[in-house]
Amino acid sequence: MAEAFASLAVLALPSPCRLLTVSCCPDKDLFVLISRLIGHDRVSLWKYNGTKVWETEMPSQDATKDTIQHVPAIAWSPDGHTIAVVYTHGTVSVRSIQDGSEERALSIPTQTQHKLTGIWWFKHDRELSKNPIPDVFRRNNILPGTAHSILKMLPLLDNVQEETPRANAPNLFTFHGSQTRYIPSSTVPDSIKLWPTLPSDPLLASLSVVEKTADVSGEPADTDNVNRDSILVVADSSGQLYPFLDGTFPLGTVPSLSGLESSDFTFYFSALQKHSRNPVFFGHLATSSSTVNFTSVLPTITHLPLLTDRRVRDFAQLSSSARELVWYVMRLVKELRDMWFGTETSTGARVMGSNWLKEIEDKQKALDENTRSPLFDLTMLLTTGHPSEPLSEFFSSHELMSERSLSKWDNTMSDALIKLRDYSEKRITPALQRLHIILEELKGWSSIAPEYSIFDLNPDLLSNCLTVTKNGITIASWLASAARKEHLRFKEFFAWVRWVPDTISSPQNNNETKAPPLPHDILEVNNYLISGLAESDIDKWFTGPPPSADNTLLNLERPQKLKTVLEQARVALSVQGFTQWPPSPVPSVVEKEHRNIDELVKTLSLKCQSIFASGASATSRDVRVACPAVSPSSSNPTSSTNENFRLKEICSVPEPSKDETLHVYSILRSSDDKSQWCICKQINRRSSPTDPAYFEFALLSCQTTHGEVLLLDTAFLTDNRIAVVFRQNQETPNRGYLGIGSYAGINFHACNTNLSSREEFMAFAFQQALNGTNKQFQIQSFTISHQRRLHGCDSGPATIAVNGTRNFAAVLDARGITLECIDLEIDEDEDEDEPNEEGVDVDIEAEGDKSDLL
């Protein structure tokens, strides 16, 4: 018999792997495998032709506890560009399909004894706009007068280049086709990691955008924001749900109403569906233990009504923009600090002057036993023009006085001071001003109690954040002024340093009556010697405690009008012996005021993060859950203990009606010496969660032309086609097959039983079929129309993952070693030509040479 399908590749995997039901990307020729090594699961991405794109392992979040990392589920983003990988220890890693790099990590606030069990990512179907007037002003749903409407009118700030791992020899010269890529731990502070945020949108925060790379699949980038209003939902072993707006913004914790708290049972959702346009979720809560399996027939319906209101997205956008601005300022301050003080791999500009002084001191110690301070000798040289012996030798022959060393010092110091001035004046100050606009809007929200009280905004904390932001604006402006002054002094100092060697080598002639003009200002050089060479005032912006909440600079009273200043000047001139000016000098306390902008930004990030983290849970505080009674004790343990139930479900909404009807197709399969197969159709309404509006079933026996077969696994291809993995009962030796068939012509019967679990219904239905007393429970024949023999699957169970849109199936054997990729496109002319039954073998070690399609 001719094979109905073509085998794309047969993979001999180097280690046992797992294939999940949702491993196939919905809109790309990609699928995911999960392997395990030394207690940690690795995620790898493959193409349909058997080529590995990448493999990566998530670094342990708590290495001291030796946390075992297990991947129970994954979810593809609606746009297909990212994969959400859930780890049982409480972390969701959102990874790019480009190279497996972690774009963001979502922390789940679950308890230690609870493990994450499932993850789903739902696309939101938008209604077509019925407004005949187009958005000519391109507001993008931003209300005029809000903070974002103001930020939209401001010029974009230059963005900061993202930190990338330093390239080393293995990264540059090693072939990474089959090598595991280890992603280094991020240096992002905890306040930024835990800050609720939507996907990064710098334009919304008035920042310029950094260009991104192209798609790994070779397809053009999707310009539509497909992930907008999508919901990522994570479930744990206690039955709690953790929704995320757009896959990133946490909406709090949805509690489970199962009423059960037991260490003997694990609670999870066997499947979760969402209405296409409304924030209503239907999930069948299940429990499992060593002796019993229980999956509720009735759904748990979760409604998040606040998601229909624009306030949630407005708050999420404010939180995201505030995070972008704070993280932007933190990176700028860190860059300035590293440039000034240096890092482990680079020398800071601040250190070069200290090293220059140290070399002079060493020269003094070598030539003079009664050493004085280097600053004393430099001051004497500046004022008298006569150098001491150590200075004369140092300026004449030391390597630090070479043209190359002086140019390096001049360029490094000038670049650093100019960057301090420009970053403070043109980046940090405007960014903090934009943050102040956002916090001002939140302060207004806090005063509108009825509409925004659910966000739990603290007016006192907001006022404190506004004060800290004002202090940051003042201190950043102060830093720009100090850097400008320091740069002018340094230029005068460096002109003197270059002038001294010429003076020493060619002393002035005593007969000369007129000396040439000095190229420097003696007073400015002296000021730099005292307050710039050994110790700089700029150090105070990066050292010491953070500024106080009531910064003195904000409370200074200075004359603002020119007329007032002129009157004070006339009074000063009329008083004999008056020497004090200005009459109201800046208090000396200003010079002692703490100005550590690094600590100020860290404090500001912690305060703002706490405000937005509290408000992000507003959606879960207004949740409505209808949960049926989940009682494992009422189930029949004997009917579920020795049976291996596999559940595959698909969901469709024929019409997004007002009563929010959800149409669910589910399949239950139990395999023993003989397979038992049942397909159920169920419609659930939010208005009647305790009674399904529609429930029908059909008991099936899968058959081919050779007779009844033993089912290994099933998967829905479309709304009426199913792919099955099976073995022929009469065939010796055993061989695995992949087949497809249609269940469109199967007769479904209404269910009148009051059984509460799917396992009970499965056992009850087949018991009734064996008795033969009820025609409703007759087993119908399901005929496989097309099939192909598989490589492997000769013994034990098997796993199948399909992509019905692209007619692709991946089948993994019981050992997890042999995986076959199959093209399910049916060619009517294939009966004439006999294909090669052996398929295409792909060696993982040489995957690039043997991964061609048939």
Side-chain angles (χ1 to χ4, degrees):
M1 178 181 177
E3 304 289 1
F5 316 117
S7 178
L8 302 178
V10 178
L11 308 181
L13 302 174
S15 60
C17 296
R18 288 187 293 122
L19 185 68
L20 303 179
T21 305
V22 294
S23 286
C24 296
C25 180
D27 59 352
K28 294 179 178 61
D29 295 340
L30 302 169
F31 66 95
V32 169
L33 286 178
I34 300 174
S35 59
R36 191 164 187 81
L37 182 65
I38 317 177
H40 300 294
D41 279 357
R42 294 181 175 183
V43 179
S44 57
L45 186 69
W46 300 74
K47 292 184 178 181
Y48 284 178
N49 61 2
T51 303
K52 184 193 293 185
V53 181
W54 49 257
E55 181 179 14
T56 184
E57 177 184 0
M58 180 178 176
S60 176
Q61 298 294 319
D62 194 349
T64 60
K65 296 183 180 180
D66 296 329
T67 304
I68 297 178
Q69 298 178 359
H70 177 67
V71 178
I74 66 169
W76 295 87
S77 63
D79 61 3
H81 292 165
T82 54
I83 309 172
V85 183
V86 60
Y87 290 82
T88 53
H89 67 266
T91 301
V92 175
S93 176
V94 182
R95 297 188 174 272
S96 170
I97 66 171
Q98 308 296 329
D99 55 1
S101 60
E102 185 177 79
E103 292 188 352
R104 54 190 176 274
L106 308 178
S107 179
I108 308 299
T110 183
Q111 298 182 10
T112 306
Q113 67 272 20
H114 297 155
K115 305 298 182 182
L116 301 184
T117 57
I119 187 170
W120 303 266
W121 203 330
F122 302 105
K123 178 183 177 181
H124 177 72
D125 293 335
R126 300 182 182 87
E127 297 184 12
L128 296 177
S129 177
K130 300 179 181 179
N131 189 359
I133 303 176
D135 187 11
V136 294
F137 295 105
R138 299 185 181 274
R139 293 194 177 103
N140 295 327
N141 205 25
I142 295 177
L143 296 178
T146 59
H148 282 114
S149 67
I150 299 175
L151 295 182
K152 188 177 180 181
M153 304 301 294
L154 298 177
L156 298 180
L157 301 179
D158 294 334
N159 213 325
V160 182
Q161 189 69 28
E162 294 290 341
E163 294 183 2
T164 56
R166 287 178 297 173
N168 49 29
N171 290 335
L172 292 175
F173 304 107
T174 303
F175 174 69
H176 293 283
S178 60
Q179 180 184 358
T180 300
R181 299 184 181 183
Y182 181 81
I183 306 300
S185 57
S186 175
T187 57
V188 179
D190 292 338
S191 60
I192 300 299
K193 286 182 180 179
L194 301 177
W195 195 310
T197 178
L198 294 171
S200 179
D201 187 3
L203 289 177
L204 197 63
S206 191
L207 301 175
S208 60
V209 181
V210 179
E211 295 183 359
K212 297 183 179 180
T213 57
D215 195 344
V216 70
S217 63
E219 300 179 359
D222 192 356
T223 56
D224 296 332
N225 195 356
V226 182
N227 291 342
R228 183 180 176 89
D229 294 329
S230 64
I231 303 294
L232 176 70
V233 182
V234 183
D236 66 6
S237 57
S238 66
Q240 296 186 126
L241 297 178
Y242 306 90
F244 293 83
L245 181 63
D246 291 358
T248 59
F249 188 83
L251 300 176
T253 302
V254 177
S256 172
L257 301 181
S258 60
L260 292 176
E261 289 290 342
S262 174
S263 58
D264 298 330
F265 295 97
T266 299
F267 300 88
Y268 61 94
F269 283 92
S270 62
L272 193 69
Q273 295 90 30
K274 176 187 175 295
H275 192 276
S276 59
R277 293 183 181 176
N278 297 308
V280 181
F281 303 87
F282 298 82
H284 294 272
L285 193 60
T287 62
S288 65
S289 67
S290 59
T291 59
V292 66
N293 294 322
F294 182 96
T295 305
S296 176
V297 173
L298 300 178
T300 297
I301 301 178
T302 304
H303 185 205
L304 304 176
L306 202 60
L307 287 181
T308 59
D309 195 325
R310 67 168 297 145
R311 289 176 296 173
V312 175
R313 176 159 290 278
D314 290 343
F315 182 83
Q317 289 179 337
L318 289 174
S319 177
S320 304
S321 297
R323 179 189 179 274
E324 289 280 356
L325 291 170
V326 172
W327 180 224
Y328 175 76
V329 173
M330 293 181 73
R331 285 179 291 173
L332 289 176
V333 172
K334 180 180 181 300
E335 182 178 347
L336 293 180
R337 180 187 180 92
D338 294 344
M339 176 195 61
W340 186 247
F341 287 103
T343 60
E344 296 179 356
T345 58
S346 61
T347 303
R350 167 70 180 77
V351 182
M352 302 187 75
S354 301
N355 294 339
W356 193 73
L357 275 180
K358 186 176 182 303
E359 291 296 330
I360 295 178
E361 185 177 3
D362 293 341
K363 181 66 68 173
Q364 288 177 330
K365 292 179 180 179
L367 299 178
D368 190 0
E369 295 182 357
N370 299 323
T371 58
R372 297 179 298 273
S373 171
L375 291 177
F376 178 81
D377 282 1
L378 290 172
T379 304
M380 291 295 295
L381 174 62
L382 175 66
T383 55
T384 63
H386 298 288
S388 61
E389 182 180 355
L391 283 184
S392 178
E393 185 172 342
F394 177 84
F395 277 97
S396 301
S397 59
H398 199 279
E399 60 179 359
L400 289 182
M401 293 303 299
S402 64
E403 182 61 29
R404 181 177 180 180
S405 298
L406 291 178
S407 298
K408 181 180 179 181
W409 186 12
D410 186 12
N411 295 333
T412 302
M413 196 67 180
S414 297
D415 292 344
L417 292 173
I418 291 175
K419 182 175 286 189
L420 281 168
R421 180 197 65 193
D422 292 345
Y423 274 29
S424 302
E425 188 175 46
K426 300 178 181 179
R427 290 191 175 190
I428 297 178
T429 299
L432 291 176
Q433 291 171 346
R434 287 160 170 77
L435 177 64
H436 190 274
I437 294 174
I438 294 176
L439 295 177
E440 281 284 1
E441 179 164 333
L442 281 184
K443 184 69 180 301
W445 283 24
S446 65
S447 61
I448 309 177
E451 288 78 9
Y452 296 97
S453 58
I454 195 170
F455 291 100
D456 195 21
L457 299 174
N458 189 338
D460 295 335
L461 185 56
L462 280 169
S463 299
N464 186 266
C465 287
L466 286 169
T467 302
V468 175
T469 306
K470 293 178 183 177
N471 291 343
I473 295 172
T474 304
I475 291 175
S477 302
W478 191 3
L479 174 59
S481 176
R484 185 179 292 107
K485 183 184 297 185
E486 185 93 351
H487 186 231
L488 293 175
R489 291 177 176 177
F490 175 77
K491 284 300 182 182
E492 296 294 332
F493 165 77
F494 218 78
W496 173 70
V497 170
R498 289 183 177 275
W499 174 78
V500 167
D502 296 337
T503 305
I504 295 177
S505 60
S506 57
Q508 293 290 334
N509 189 358
N510 295 331
N511 298 328
E512 188 175 355
T513 59
K514 184 178 181 181
L518 297 177
H520 54 272
D521 188 332
I522 294 180
L523 295 180
E524 293 296 340
V525 175
N526 184 66
N527 287 334
Y528 188 79
L529 289 175
I530 297 174
S531 61
L533 189 59
E535 295 181 359
S536 175
D537 289 340
I538 296 180
D539 298 350
K540 299 177 182 179
W541 272 267
F542 304 103
T543 57
S548 58
D550 52 345
N551 199 317
T552 309
L553 289 178
L554 301 179
N555 303 321
L556 291 179
E557 295 184 0
R558 295 185 178 181
Q560 300 294 328
K561 296 181 179 180
L562 179 60
K563 182 179 179 181
T564 306
V565 177
L566 293 177
E567 291 178 353
Q568 292 178 354
R570 292 190 183 97
V571 172
L573 292 174
S574 62
V575 178
Q576 186 176 2
F578 185 85
T579 58
Q580 183 180 3
W581 184 263
S584 299
V586 177
S588 58
V589 70
V590 174
E591 296 299 329
K592 299 179 181 180
E593 185 68 30
H594 300 303
R595 61 195 81 166
N596 191 339
I597 192 172
D598 190 12
E599 292 296 327
L600 180 140
V601 175
K602 292 178 181 178
T603 302
L604 180 62
S605 67
L606 292 173
K607 292 179 181 292
C608 292
Q609 185 270 336
S610 63
I611 292 175
F612 289 106
S614 176
S617 302
T619 303
S620 61
R621 288 194 285 265
D622 190 27
V623 67
R624 301 167 190 175
V625 181
C627 180
V630 180
S631 178
S633 60
S634 64
S635 63
N636 185 3
T638 60
S639 66
S640 58
T641 300
N642 300 321
E643 294 179 343
N644 180 21
F645 287 93
R646 288 199 178 188
L647 175 63
K648 298 291 179 70
E649 300 190 12
I650 62 173
C651 166
S652 63
V653 182
E655 295 181 2
S657 56
K658 295 182 179 179
D659 58 356
E660 299 174 323
T661 301
L662 189 68
H663 199 177
V664 180
Y665 292 83
S666 60
I667 179 170
L668 296 168
R669 190 192 63 81
S670 175
S671 62
D672 202 349
D673 294 337
K674 184 178 181 180
S675 59
Q676 299 173 342
W677 190 18
C678 175
I679 299 180
C680 300
K681 292 182 179 181
Q682 183 174 344
I683 294 181
N684 302 314
R685 286 197 179 101
R686 188 188 63 175
S687 57
S688 56
T690 59
D691 184 20
Y694 182 84
F695 186 87
E696 287 186 341
F697 72 96
L699 304 181
L700 302 177
S701 173
C702 188
Q703 295 182 352
T704 63
T705 56
H706 299 285
E708 189 176 355
V709 301
L710 178 65
L711 284 179
L712 304 179
D713 200 4
T714 59
F716 283 102
L717 279 174
T718 60
D719 289 344
N720 55 14
R721 289 199 310 160
I722 296 180
V724 296
V725 181
F726 63 93
R727 285 196 291 266
Q728 299 281 359
N729 289 333
Q730 295 83 8
E731 190 176 31
T732 304
N734 293 330
R735 293 181 178 179
Y737 291 87
L738 172 66
I740 62 172
S742 174
Y743 62 92
I746 294 176
N747 297 323
F748 287 84
H749 302 283
C751 178
N752 299 322
T753 180
N754 295 323
L755 297 175
S756 58
S757 75
R758 292 179 174 180
E759 289 78 6
E760 282 184 311
F761 173 75
M762 187 75 176
F764 172 79
F766 276 96
Q767 184 63 40
Q768 293 294 320
L770 292 177
N771 295 338
T773 57
N774 193 338
K775 295 182 179 180
Q776 185 183 16
F777 293 94
Q778 289 182 349
I779 298 179
Q780 304 179 54
S781 177
F782 178 86
T783 303
I784 297 176
S785 58
H786 300 80
Q787 68 182 45
R788 175 186 174 83
R789 189 168 70 86
L790 297 172
H791 291 73
C793 301
D794 298 336
S795 62
T799 307
I800 182 174
V802 299
N803 185 337
T805 305
R806 296 184 177 253
N807 291 317
F808 169 80
V811 182
L812 186 67
D813 66 353
R815 298 180 303 165
I817 298 296
T818 303
L819 182 136
E820 186 168 2
C821 303
I822 299 175
D823 182 7
L824 298 180
E825 188 71 31
I826 300 175
D827 189 356
E828 300 297 337
D829 298 333
E830 282 187 353
D831 294 337
E832 301 177 2
D833 301 328
E834 187 76 16
N836 182 12
E837 294 185 356
E838 297 302 322
V840 180
D841 293 331
V842 177
D843 187 357
I844 301 302
E845 302 300 329
E847 56 187 351
D849 299 332
K850 301 181 180 180
S851 61
D852 297 334
L853 303 180
L854 284 176

